[in-house]
């Protein structure tokens, strides 16, 4: 009996070991190739083994890894493809244009799943609880909707569902992941703000795989109101500054406008231009010096009293008879006699033949008594130069 058992054992171990059958894996990949096309069309389907195809890796004559990122895959993945890849541990279809629902027929032996940056829709099925070995689950940048299921994936270490249409509260094991795993969604609760506090606002979205920048950003009502109010206040400040600058500019031009008005009036009356040497001692063309003195007097408010009409009039002191008025002085021709400490002296010849000495004072503030004394003194000095002339102080 022992001899028969020994012979049977030797017979069994002498039989050739059969290799695992690759035909189910081969058929499943061809079905995927036919449905999503893209760069999978470069696979050489005539080969009996798919292990040499781009993106396919095998162990012990079975497909264990399928990485097809950015392969220009489009359309929906048909059912039954992944259920035949029973030894598949890693699946990456990132950065394609796949649509439809997330595949549910994945092998329970799956460890790493990356379906990010596609156009998958629908909800995340509680069926993912069947993938008990899953350590990585990347589903960001799709159009997934609904709530986040309470999955019991105790081995899950990497997770991202950012930039989807998900809403509701974060529960279970997902509370242990960082905020960037949920950016760009309407999810709330730890690690995001509390669901009550986050109403009306959305967390700043993140980039794929836990980055810090996002694609979409929404502001709360309070932030929008603050921006509007700040813009209005800033606009009002700008308007006030412009009004202040315009008023300052208008004020600085008031003197020159008054002088220009008097010169224009003189031209209408036919005044003759004469020489003037007030600004440098030379001679040059210009309006009557006496008229220029009167114009300066009108602009600065010095040299006479205002009558009821708002115009200047001449005031005569002492015993000097009033033989002319300001209009006669404006039409007179004159010449510069010289400059002194308090201003410039002019000799003006009126149309009636009267010769007048005009003294133009600058920035002099004295009392009326001192003013009268100064006039007498200046008049006496000018009388020595001019002879019998009338003296006038502007």
């Amino acid at each position: 009996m022992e001899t028969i058992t020994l012979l049977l054992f030797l017979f069994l171990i002498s039989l050739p070991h059969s290799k695992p059958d690759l035909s189910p894996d081969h058929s499943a990949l061809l079905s995927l190739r036919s449905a999503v096309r893209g760069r999978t069309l470069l696979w050489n389907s005539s080969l009996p083994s798919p292990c040499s195809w781009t993106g396919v890796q095998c162990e012990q004559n079975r497909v264990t890894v399928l990485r097809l990122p950015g392969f220009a895959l489009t359309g929906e993945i048909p059912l039954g493809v992944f259920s035949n890849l029973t030894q598949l541990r890693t699946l990456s279809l990132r950065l394609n244009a796949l649509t439809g629902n997330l595949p549910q027929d994945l092998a329970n032996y799956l460890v790493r799943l990356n379906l990010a940056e596609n156009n998958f829709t629908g909800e995340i099925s509680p069926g993912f609880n069947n993938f008990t070995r899953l350590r990585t689950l990347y589903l960001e940048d799709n159009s997934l909707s609904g709530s986040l299921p309470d999955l019991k994936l105790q081995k899950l270490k990497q997770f991202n569902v950012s930039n989807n249409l998900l809403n509701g509260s974060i529960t279970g094991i997902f509370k242990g992941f960082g905020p960037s795993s949920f950016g760009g969604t309407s999810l709330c609760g730890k690690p995001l703000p509390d669901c009550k506090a986050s109403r009306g606002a959305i967390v700043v979205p993140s980039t794929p795989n836990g980055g810090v920048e996002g694609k979409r950003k929404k502001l709360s009502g309070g932030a929008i109101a603050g921006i509007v109010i700040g813009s209005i206040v800033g606009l009002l400040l700008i308007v006030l500054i412009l009004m202040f600058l315009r008023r300052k500019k208008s004020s600085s031009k008031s003197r020159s406008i008054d002088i220009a008005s008097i010169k224009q009036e003189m031209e209408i009356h036919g005044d003759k231009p004469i020489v003037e040497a007030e600004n440098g001692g030379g001679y040059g063309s210009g309006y009557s010096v006496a008229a220029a003195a009167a114009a300066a007097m009108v602009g600065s408010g010095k040299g006479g009293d205002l009558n009821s009409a708002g115009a200047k009039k001449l005031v005569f002191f002492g015993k000097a008879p009033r033989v002319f008025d300001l209009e006669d002085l404006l039409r007179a021709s004159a010449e510069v006699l010289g400059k002194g400490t308090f201003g410039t002296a002019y000799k003006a010849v009126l149309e009636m033949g009267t010769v007048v000495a005009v003294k133009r004072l600058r920035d002099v503030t004295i009392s009326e008594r001192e003013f009268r004394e100064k006039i007498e003194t200046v008049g006496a000095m000018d009388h020595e130069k001019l002879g019998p002339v009338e003296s006038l102080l502007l």
Side-chain angles (χ1 to χ4, degrees), residues 125-247:
S125 172
F128 275 87
N129 267 322
N130 297 327
F131 311 135
T132 58
R133 297 177 179 269
L134 199 62
R135 295 177 178 270
T136 299
L137 178 59
Y138 287 149
L139 301 175
E140 68 269 16
D141 296 293
N142 281 286
S143 297
L144 303 175
S145 59
S147 60
L148 191 62
D150 186 13
L151 302 180
K152 307 297 183 182
L153 304 176
Q154 301 301 326
K155 294 186 177 181
L156 193 64
K157 301 299 181 183
Q158 296 175 303
F159 177 73
N160 198 324
V161 289
S162 61
N163 300 323
N164 278 287
L165 305 177
L166 300 172
N167 54 55
S169 60
I170 300 172
T171 60
I173 62 171
F174 300 119
K175 291 184 177 181
F177 293 94
S180 61
S181 295
F182 310 96
T185 70
S186 296
L187 295 169
C188 57
K190 186 180 179 180
L192 301 181
D194 184 74
C195 292
K196 293 182 180 179
S198 62
R199 289 178 182 175
I202 290 184
V203 179
V204 178
S206 63
T207 52
N209 298 333
V212 294
E213 295 182 358
K215 295 181 178 179
R216 303 182 293 270
K217 182 177 181 179
K218 296 184 180 179
L219 297 175
S220 63
I224 294 175
I227 293 174
V228 173
I229 295 174
S231 301
I232 294 175
V233 172
L235 182 61
L236 290 176
L237 288 176
I238 293 174
V239 172
L240 290 175
I241 293 173
L242 292 177
M243 291 177 63
F244 173 77
L245 294 177
R246 184 175 181 181
R247 180 175 297 179

Side-chain angles (χ1 to χ4, degrees), residues 262 289-299 302 312 326 329-330 360 394:
I262 291 183
V289 175
M297 175 186 67
V298 173
K302 298 179 182 178
K312 294 290 182 180
L326 179 60
L329 181 62
L330 290 174
R360 225 176 125 196
L394 290 180

Side-chain angles (χ1 to χ4, degrees), residues 276-339:
E276 180 179 357
E278 181 179 1
N279 297 320
Y283 293 94
S285 61
Y287 289 96
S288 166
V289 175
M297 175 186 67
V298 173
S300 61
K302 298 179 182 178
D305 297 329
L306 284 172
N307 58 20
S308 58
K312 294 290 182 180
K313 66 178 182 178
L314 298 180
V315 177
F316 292 82
F317 295 97
K319 298 180 180 180
R322 184 183 181 91
V323 295
F324 60 90
D325 55 20
L326 179 60
E327 188 172 343
D328 295 328
L329 181 62
L330 290 174
R331 288 197 295 265
S333 59
E335 63 179 344
V336 177
L337 296 177
K339 292 184 179 181

Side-chain angles (χ1 to χ4, degrees), residues 113-124:
L113 177 61
N114 190 341
L115 301 178
E117 299 180 80
N118 281 282
N119 296 319
F120 287 115
T121 56
E123 299 183 355
I124 301 175

Side-chain angles (χ1 to χ4, degrees), residues 9-277:
F9 175 74
L10 293 174
F11 174 75
L12 291 175
I13 63 175
S14 64
L15 292 175
H17 295 288
S18 59
K19 293 183 179 180
D21 188 9
L22 255 179
S23 58
D25 296 358
H26 187 273
S27 299
L29 294 177
L30 287 181
S31 298
L32 180 66
R33 175 178 182 267
S34 177
V36 299
R37 304 174 70 81
R39 289 175 57 193
T40 59
L41 295 176
L42 300 177
W43 289 345
N44 188 356
S45 59
S46 63
L47 296 176
S49 172
C51 297
S52 61
W53 293 351
T54 303
V56 179
Q57 296 180 20
C58 298
E59 291 183 14
Q60 297 180 357
N61 209 37
R62 292 299 305 272
V63 175
T64 57
V65 176
L66 181 61
R67 288 193 177 95
L68 305 175
F71 263 52
L73 308 181
T74 59
E76 299 184 13
I77 299 174
L79 290 174
V81 171
F82 299 113
S83 60
N84 288 325
L85 299 174
T86 57
Q87 298 300 312
L88 189 65
R89 297 199 303 269
T90 298
L91 174 62
S92 177
L93 302 177
R94 180 178 60 88
L95 200 61
N96 285 290
L98 297 172
T99 58
N101 295 326
L102 296 174
Q104 302 295 323
D105 57 342
L106 299 170
N108 295 338
Y109 201 64
L110 197 66
V111 175
R112 180 178 174 86
L113 177 61
N114 190 341
L115 301 178
E117 299 180 80
N118 281 282
N119 296 319
F120 287 115
T121 56
E123 299 183 355
I124 301 175
S125 172
F128 275 87
N129 267 322
N130 297 327
F131 311 135
T132 58
R133 297 177 179 269
L134 199 62
R135 295 177 178 270
T136 299
L137 178 59
Y138 287 149
L139 301 175
E140 68 269 16
D141 296 293
N142 281 286
S143 297
L144 303 175
S145 59
S147 60
L148 191 62
D150 186 13
L151 302 180
K152 307 297 183 182
L153 304 176
Q154 301 301 326
K155 294 186 177 181
L156 193 64
K157 301 299 181 183
Q158 296 175 303
F159 177 73
N160 198 324
V161 289
S162 61
N163 300 323
N164 278 287
L165 305 177
L166 300 172
N167 54 55
S169 60
I170 300 172
T171 60
I173 62 171
F174 300 119
K175 291 184 177 181
F177 293 94
S180 61
S181 295
F182 310 96
T185 70
S186 296
L187 295 169
C188 57
K190 186 180 179 180
L192 301 181
D194 184 74
C195 292
K196 293 182 180 179
S198 62
R199 289 178 182 175
I202 290 184
V203 179
V204 178
S206 63
T207 52
N209 298 333
V212 294
E213 295 182 358
K215 295 181 178 179
R216 303 182 293 270
K217 182 177 181 179
K218 296 184 180 179
L219 297 175
S220 63
I224 294 175
I227 293 174
V228 173
I229 295 174
S231 301
I232 294 175
V233 172
L235 182 61
L236 290 176
L237 288 176
I238 293 174
V239 172
L240 290 175
I241 293 173
L242 292 177
M243 291 177 63
F244 173 77
L245 294 177
R246 184 175 181 181
R247 180 175 297 179
K248 185 176 181 181
K249 184 177 181 180
S250 300
S251 176
S252 65
K253 289 185 176 180
S254 60
R255 179 183 173 94
S256 61
I257 292 175
D258 291 338
I259 296 176
S261 300
I262 291 183
K263 288 184 177 180
Q264 183 177 5
E265 183 178 354
M266 290 167 53
E267 290 178 350
I268 295 175
H269 289 296
D271 290 332
K272 298 179 181 180
I274 61 164
V275 295
E276 180 179 357

